[in-house]
Amino acid sequence: MHTEDLTVTIIYDNRVVAEGLESAWGFACLVEGLEKTILFDTGGDGPTLLRNMAELGIEPRDVDLVVLSHAHWDHTGGLADFLDVHSGVTVYLLESFPDEIGDDSRSGGAGVIKVSEPTELCGGATSTGEMVGQTGIQEQSLLLWTDSGVAVVTGCAHPGIVSTVERAKEMTDRDVLVIIGGFHLFKDSDASVRRIVSRLQELGVRWAAPCHCSGDSAIQRFADAYGHTFLPCRAGSVIPVGKLLQTAQSDREGQ
Ligand SMILES: [Zn+2]
Ligand SMILES: [Zn+2]
């Protein structure tokens, strides 16, 4: 496995990088470069998901696994339409999901695996398992890892982005170097956002790619704090996770 090929492409987001793509409230991204190709979340609706996939040159049939972070509509809304065009996948959802999401996936022809504990998805990709924060909303996040470190991809990070990074460090015994996704900070005060950003920096997170429900002002705070290691993240962004992790490794070796 050439880990440098590991990438995360944002398919569905509240914002887009270029004309031709559509924005809507929700999140979906594609992980490529591992043994399996993973669609993480499916956005809020099928037509936008499928149109953006087509615009980005992504073939639905190339997807092996669909991982749903949590049961909110803006992450599961595109699932049924996706399965209509490609049902040859295994869908990973949480034990706590409403039954109908699993039932609909099975009747659509997909395999279903219910996750509660941390679960390996394929070499280099692991689910954190079900986490619950103060909000009481159950969610799983995706860990992508190589020998050089870990990238964490979150849907809404309802259990808290800091707790998710802490869990990822514990689980993998590696540094979390990259965070990507919705961090659900759009309702947080500026003081709270600043605390969270500095806590993430203390934890050693080196690249940050906030999108979706992170909120515009929090995204700006990340941009200010991270400078050149802030990664713009909208539908159409391709995040070269493998290369970033390798850069960190070369920097460590060069020290
Ligand atoms: Zn949510
Ligand atoms: Zn969301």
Side-chain angles (χ1 to χ4, degrees), residues 11-12 26-29 39-46 48-50 66-69 72-80 82:
I11 298 172
Y12 195 116
F27 182 69
C29 68
L39 177 64
F40 180 74
D41 284 341
T42 60
D45 73 288
T48 304
L49 177 78
L50 294 173
V66 177
V67 179
L68 298 175
S69 63
H72 285 168
W73 66 271
D74 54 325
H75 299 257
T76 62
L79 180 66
F82 177 82

mmCIF file of all heavy atoms in Angstrom, residues 11-12 26-29 39-46 48-50 66-69 72-80 82:
data_model
loop_
_atom_site.group_PDB
_atom_site.id
_atom_site.type_symbol
_atom_site.label_atom_id
_atom_site.label_comp_id
_atom_site.label_asym_id
_atom_site.label_seq_id
_atom_site.Cartn_x
_atom_site.Cartn_y
_atom_site.Cartn_z
ATOM 1 N N ILE A 11 -17.209 15.642 -1.080
ATOM 2 C CA ILE A 11 -18.220 15.542 -2.144
ATOM 3 C C ILE A 11 -19.406 16.463 -1.867
ATOM 4 O O ILE A 11 -19.989 17.041 -2.779
ATOM 5 C CB ILE A 11 -18.743 14.090 -2.248
ATOM 6 C CG1 ILE A 11 -17.605 13.133 -2.616
ATOM 7 C CG2 ILE A 11 -19.874 13.999 -3.272
ATOM 8 C CD1 ILE A 11 -18.007 11.667 -2.550
ATOM 9 N N TYR A 12 -19.770 16.588 -0.600
ATOM 10 C CA TYR A 12 -21.006 17.295 -0.241
ATOM 11 C C TYR A 12 -20.676 18.190 0.941
ATOM 12 O O TYR A 12 -20.160 17.727 1.952
ATOM 13 C CB TYR A 12 -22.049 16.245 0.160
ATOM 14 C CG TYR A 12 -23.498 16.700 0.236
ATOM 15 C CD1 TYR A 12 -24.460 16.177 -0.626
ATOM 16 C CD2 TYR A 12 -23.912 17.614 1.208
ATOM 17 C CE1 TYR A 12 -25.790 16.554 -0.542
ATOM 18 C CE2 TYR A 12 -25.248 17.992 1.291
ATOM 19 C CZ TYR A 12 -26.183 17.466 0.423
ATOM 20 O OH TYR A 12 -27.500 17.836 0.517
ATOM 21 N N GLY A 26 -24.915 19.784 4.780
ATOM 22 C CA GLY A 26 -24.675 18.354 4.955
ATOM 23 C C GLY A 26 -23.223 18.031 4.666
ATOM 24 O O GLY A 26 -22.426 18.933 4.361
ATOM 25 N N PHE A 27 -22.898 16.760 4.752
ATOM 26 C CA PHE A 27 -21.501 16.355 4.562
ATOM 27 C C PHE A 27 -21.412 14.962 3.959
ATOM 28 O O PHE A 27 -22.195 14.064 4.315
ATOM 29 C CB PHE A 27 -20.766 16.375 5.907
ATOM 30 C CG PHE A 27 -19.297 16.020 5.803
ATOM 31 C CD1 PHE A 27 -18.403 16.886 5.184
ATOM 32 C CD2 PHE A 27 -18.820 14.818 6.308
ATOM 33 C CE1 PHE A 27 -17.050 16.560 5.074
ATOM 34 C CE2 PHE A 27 -17.466 14.486 6.205
ATOM 35 C CZ PHE A 27 -16.580 15.356 5.591
ATOM 36 N N ALA A 28 -20.466 14.797 3.046
ATOM 37 C CA ALA A 28 -20.077 13.478 2.531
ATOM 38 C C ALA A 28 -18.669 13.615 1.979
ATOM 39 O O ALA A 28 -18.302 14.673 1.443
ATOM 40 C CB ALA A 28 -21.015 13.021 1.416
ATOM 41 N N CYS A 29 -17.868 12.576 2.126
ATOM 42 C CA CYS A 29 -16.541 12.590 1.514
ATOM 43 C C CYS A 29 -16.152 11.186 1.086
ATOM 44 O O CYS A 29 -16.758 10.199 1.517
ATOM 45 C CB CYS A 29 -15.498 13.189 2.454
ATOM 46 S SG CYS A 29 -15.143 12.196 3.910
ATOM 47 N N LEU A 39 -17.090 5.646 1.203
ATOM 48 C CA LEU A 39 -17.926 6.844 1.200
ATOM 49 C C LEU A 39 -18.322 7.090 2.651
ATOM 50 O O LEU A 39 -18.997 6.254 3.272
ATOM 51 C CB LEU A 39 -19.166 6.623 0.323
ATOM 52 C CG LEU A 39 -20.185 7.771 0.275
ATOM 53 C CD1 LEU A 39 -19.587 9.033 -0.346
ATOM 54 C CD2 LEU A 39 -21.436 7.346 -0.508
ATOM 55 N N PHE A 40 -17.871 8.208 3.206
ATOM 56 C CA PHE A 40 -18.173 8.527 4.597
ATOM 57 C C PHE A 40 -19.268 9.582 4.593
ATOM 58 O O PHE A 40 -19.055 10.712 4.145
ATOM 59 C CB PHE A 40 -16.908 9.041 5.303
ATOM 60 C CG PHE A 40 -17.113 9.408 6.750
ATOM 61 C CD1 PHE A 40 -17.273 8.424 7.718
ATOM 62 C CD2 PHE A 40 -17.130 10.745 7.152
ATOM 63 C CE1 PHE A 40 -17.453 8.758 9.058
ATOM 64 C CE2 PHE A 40 -17.309 11.086 8.494
ATOM 65 C CZ PHE A 40 -17.468 10.088 9.442
ATOM 66 N N ASP A 41 -20.456 9.209 5.045
ATOM 67 C CA ASP A 41 -21.664 10.038 5.021
ATOM 68 C C ASP A 41 -22.151 10.260 3.589
ATOM 69 O O ASP A 41 -21.414 10.052 2.623
ATOM 70 C CB ASP A 41 -21.467 11.376 5.753
ATOM 71 C CG ASP A 41 -21.495 11.178 7.278
ATOM 72 O OD1 ASP A 41 -22.003 10.134 7.727
ATOM 73 O OD2 ASP A 41 -21.021 12.083 8.002
ATOM 74 N N THR A 42 -23.399 10.666 3.479
ATOM 75 C CA THR A 42 -24.017 10.738 2.146
ATOM 76 C C THR A 42 -24.722 12.076 1.892
ATOM 77 O O THR A 42 -25.503 12.193 0.951
ATOM 78 C CB THR A 42 -25.050 9.597 1.982
ATOM 79 O OG1 THR A 42 -26.071 9.739 2.980
ATOM 80 C CG2 THR A 42 -24.410 8.223 2.138
ATOM 81 N N GLY A 43 -24.451 13.079 2.730
ATOM 82 C CA GLY A 43 -25.078 14.384 2.534
ATOM 83 C C GLY A 43 -26.558 14.360 2.875
ATOM 84 O O GLY A 43 -27.081 13.364 3.392
ATOM 85 N N GLY A 44 -27.240 15.450 2.544
ATOM 86 C CA GLY A 44 -28.636 15.610 2.911
ATOM 87 C C GLY A 44 -29.617 15.119 1.861
ATOM 88 O O GLY A 44 -30.793 14.916 2.160
ATOM 89 N N ASP A 45 -29.162 14.936 0.609
ATOM 90 C CA ASP A 45 -30.080 14.478 -0.444
ATOM 91 C C ASP A 45 -29.295 13.783 -1.550
ATOM 92 O O ASP A 45 -28.122 14.100 -1.793
ATOM 93 C CB ASP A 45 -30.853 15.663 -1.028
ATOM 94 C CG ASP A 45 -29.980 16.539 -1.896
ATOM 95 O OD1 ASP A 45 -29.108 17.257 -1.354
ATOM 96 O OD2 ASP A 45 -30.103 16.468 -3.133
ATOM 97 N N GLY A 46 -29.968 12.837 -2.191
ATOM 98 C CA GLY A 46 -29.327 12.037 -3.220
ATOM 99 C C GLY A 46 -28.938 12.801 -4.479
ATOM 100 O O GLY A 46 -27.809 12.662 -4.955
ATOM 101 N N THR A 48 -28.076 15.896 -5.090
ATOM 102 C CA THR A 48 -26.868 16.716 -4.947
ATOM 103 C C THR A 48 -25.636 15.824 -4.805
ATOM 104 O O THR A 48 -24.593 16.062 -5.427
ATOM 105 C CB THR A 48 -26.996 17.654 -3.716
ATOM 106 O OG1 THR A 48 -28.181 18.427 -3.862
ATOM 107 C CG2 THR A 48 -25.802 18.572 -3.587
ATOM 108 N N LEU A 49 -25.755 14.764 -3.993
ATOM 109 C CA LEU A 49 -24.636 13.831 -3.802
ATOM 110 C C LEU A 49 -24.193 13.243 -5.148
ATOM 111 O O LEU A 49 -23.005 13.282 -5.499
ATOM 112 C CB LEU A 49 -25.059 12.707 -2.852
ATOM 113 C CG LEU A 49 -24.004 11.619 -2.618
ATOM 114 C CD1 LEU A 49 -22.940 12.108 -1.635
ATOM 115 C CD2 LEU A 49 -24.638 10.324 -2.104
ATOM 116 N N LEU A 50 -25.158 12.723 -5.900
ATOM 117 C CA LEU A 50 -24.815 12.025 -7.145
ATOM 118 C C LEU A 50 -24.324 12.999 -8.214
ATOM 119 O O LEU A 50 -23.396 12.694 -8.959
ATOM 120 C CB LEU A 50 -26.023 11.213 -7.643
ATOM 121 C CG LEU A 50 -26.423 10.050 -6.708
ATOM 122 C CD1 LEU A 50 -27.719 9.402 -7.175
ATOM 123 C CD2 LEU A 50 -25.311 8.999 -6.597
ATOM 124 N N VAL A 66 -19.783 2.062 2.830
ATOM 125 C CA VAL A 66 -20.415 3.338 3.189
ATOM 126 C C VAL A 66 -20.440 3.393 4.714
ATOM 127 O O VAL A 66 -20.925 2.457 5.364
ATOM 128 C CB VAL A 66 -21.858 3.435 2.642
ATOM 129 C CG1 VAL A 66 -22.520 4.734 3.096
ATOM 130 C CG2 VAL A 66 -21.875 3.326 1.117
ATOM 131 N N VAL A 67 -19.890 4.439 5.267
ATOM 132 C CA VAL A 67 -19.869 4.587 6.727
ATOM 133 C C VAL A 67 -20.708 5.814 7.068
ATOM 134 O O VAL A 67 -20.478 6.892 6.515
ATOM 135 C CB VAL A 67 -18.430 4.766 7.251
ATOM 136 C CG1 VAL A 67 -18.418 4.953 8.766
ATOM 137 C CG2 VAL A 67 -17.556 3.576 6.851
ATOM 138 N N LEU A 68 -21.699 5.630 7.917
ATOM 139 C CA LEU A 68 -22.562 6.754 8.307
ATOM 140 C C LEU A 68 -22.161 7.211 9.709
ATOM 141 O O LEU A 68 -22.196 6.418 10.656
ATOM 142 C CB LEU A 68 -24.029 6.326 8.285
ATOM 143 C CG LEU A 68 -24.547 5.896 6.905
ATOM 144 C CD1 LEU A 68 -25.976 5.361 7.020
ATOM 145 C CD2 LEU A 68 -24.488 7.043 5.895
ATOM 146 N N SER A 69 -21.802 8.461 9.843
ATOM 147 C CA SER A 69 -21.288 8.956 11.127
ATOM 148 C C SER A 69 -22.372 8.969 12.198
ATOM 149 O O SER A 69 -22.140 8.556 13.326
ATOM 150 C CB SER A 69 -20.698 10.361 10.966
ATOM 151 O OG SER A 69 -21.699 11.279 10.563
ATOM 152 N N HIS A 72 -28.349 11.750 11.679
ATOM 153 C CA HIS A 72 -28.996 12.995 11.246
ATOM 154 C C HIS A 72 -29.160 13.015 9.720
ATOM 155 O O HIS A 72 -28.298 12.532 8.981
ATOM 156 C CB HIS A 72 -28.199 14.212 11.710
ATOM 157 C CG HIS A 72 -28.374 14.475 13.183
ATOM 158 N ND1 HIS A 72 -27.592 15.362 13.893
ATOM 159 C CD2 HIS A 72 -29.250 13.955 14.069
ATOM 160 C CE1 HIS A 72 -27.987 15.370 15.156
ATOM 161 N NE2 HIS A 72 -28.990 14.530 15.291
ATOM 162 N N TRP A 73 -30.279 13.629 9.277
ATOM 163 C CA TRP A 73 -30.661 13.606 7.855
ATOM 164 C C TRP A 73 -29.586 14.187 6.947
ATOM 165 O O TRP A 73 -29.448 13.772 5.809
ATOM 166 C CB TRP A 73 -31.969 14.388 7.650
ATOM 167 C CG TRP A 73 -31.791 15.872 7.931
ATOM 168 C CD1 TRP A 73 -31.934 16.486 9.137
ATOM 169 C CD2 TRP A 73 -31.389 16.893 7.005
ATOM 170 N NE1 TRP A 73 -31.636 17.837 9.018
ATOM 171 C CE2 TRP A 73 -31.308 18.107 7.722
ATOM 172 C CE3 TRP A 73 -31.092 16.900 5.629
ATOM 173 C CZ2 TRP A 73 -30.936 19.320 7.130
ATOM 174 C CZ3 TRP A 73 -30.720 18.111 5.032
ATOM 175 C CH2 TRP A 73 -30.649 19.298 5.784
ATOM 176 N N ASP A 74 -28.823 15.152 7.467
ATOM 177 C CA ASP A 74 -27.860 15.817 6.582
ATOM 178 C C ASP A 74 -26.610 14.955 6.344
ATOM 179 O O ASP A 74 -25.683 15.364 5.650
ATOM 180 C CB ASP A 74 -27.489 17.213 7.102
ATOM 181 C CG ASP A 74 -26.987 17.220 8.528
ATOM 182 O OD1 ASP A 74 -27.476 16.404 9.357
ATOM 183 O OD2 ASP A 74 -26.101 18.038 8.844
ATOM 184 N N HIS A 75 -26.607 13.723 6.920
ATOM 185 C CA HIS A 75 -25.505 12.764 6.708
ATOM 186 C C HIS A 75 -26.008 11.455 6.102
ATOM 187 O O HIS A 75 -25.224 10.700 5.530
ATOM 188 C CB HIS A 75 -24.770 12.511 8.034
ATOM 189 C CG HIS A 75 -24.180 13.777 8.563
ATOM 190 N ND1 HIS A 75 -22.844 14.073 8.462
ATOM 191 C CD2 HIS A 75 -24.772 14.862 9.137
ATOM 192 C CE1 HIS A 75 -22.632 15.285 8.958
ATOM 193 N NE2 HIS A 75 -23.794 15.788 9.371
ATOM 194 N N THR A 76 -27.305 11.204 6.250
ATOM 195 C CA THR A 76 -27.871 9.945 5.748
ATOM 196 C C THR A 76 -28.812 10.171 4.548
ATOM 197 O O THR A 76 -29.225 9.213 3.914
ATOM 198 C CB THR A 76 -28.701 9.236 6.849
ATOM 199 O OG1 THR A 76 -29.791 10.096 7.213
ATOM 200 C CG2 THR A 76 -27.870 8.964 8.089
ATOM 201 N N GLY A 77 -29.131 11.430 4.268
ATOM 202 C CA GLY A 77 -30.183 11.754 3.288
ATOM 203 C C GLY A 77 -29.927 11.225 1.881
ATOM 204 O O GLY A 77 -30.859 10.970 1.134
ATOM 205 N N GLY A 78 -28.655 11.068 1.510
ATOM 206 C CA GLY A 78 -28.342 10.627 0.142
ATOM 207 C C GLY A 78 -28.225 9.121 0.009
ATOM 208 O O GLY A 78 -28.016 8.607 -1.097
ATOM 209 N N LEU A 79 -28.356 8.395 1.126
ATOM 210 C CA LEU A 79 -28.079 6.945 1.113
ATOM 211 C C LEU A 79 -28.968 6.167 0.139
ATOM 212 O O LEU A 79 -28.475 5.392 -0.681
ATOM 213 C CB LEU A 79 -28.222 6.366 2.533
ATOM 214 C CG LEU A 79 -27.962 4.859 2.644
ATOM 215 C CD1 LEU A 79 -26.510 4.522 2.338
ATOM 216 C CD2 LEU A 79 -28.340 4.332 4.035
ATOM 217 N N ALA A 80 -30.288 6.364 0.226
ATOM 218 C CA ALA A 80 -31.206 5.555 -0.589
ATOM 219 C C ALA A 80 -30.918 5.760 -2.072
ATOM 220 O O ALA A 80 -30.832 4.784 -2.834
ATOM 221 C CB ALA A 80 -32.642 5.916 -0.252
ATOM 222 N N PHE A 82 -28.147 6.722 -3.416
ATOM 223 C CA PHE A 82 -26.837 6.127 -3.725
ATOM 224 C C PHE A 82 -26.983 4.617 -3.936
ATOM 225 O O PHE A 82 -26.463 4.059 -4.902
ATOM 226 C CB PHE A 82 -25.815 6.426 -2.618
ATOM 227 C CG PHE A 82 -24.486 5.765 -2.880
ATOM 228 C CD1 PHE A 82 -23.558 6.364 -3.734
ATOM 229 C CD2 PHE A 82 -24.177 4.530 -2.321
ATOM 230 C CE1 PHE A 82 -22.347 5.734 -4.027
ATOM 231 C CE2 PHE A 82 -22.968 3.897 -2.610
ATOM 232 C CZ PHE A 82 -22.054 4.501 -3.464
#
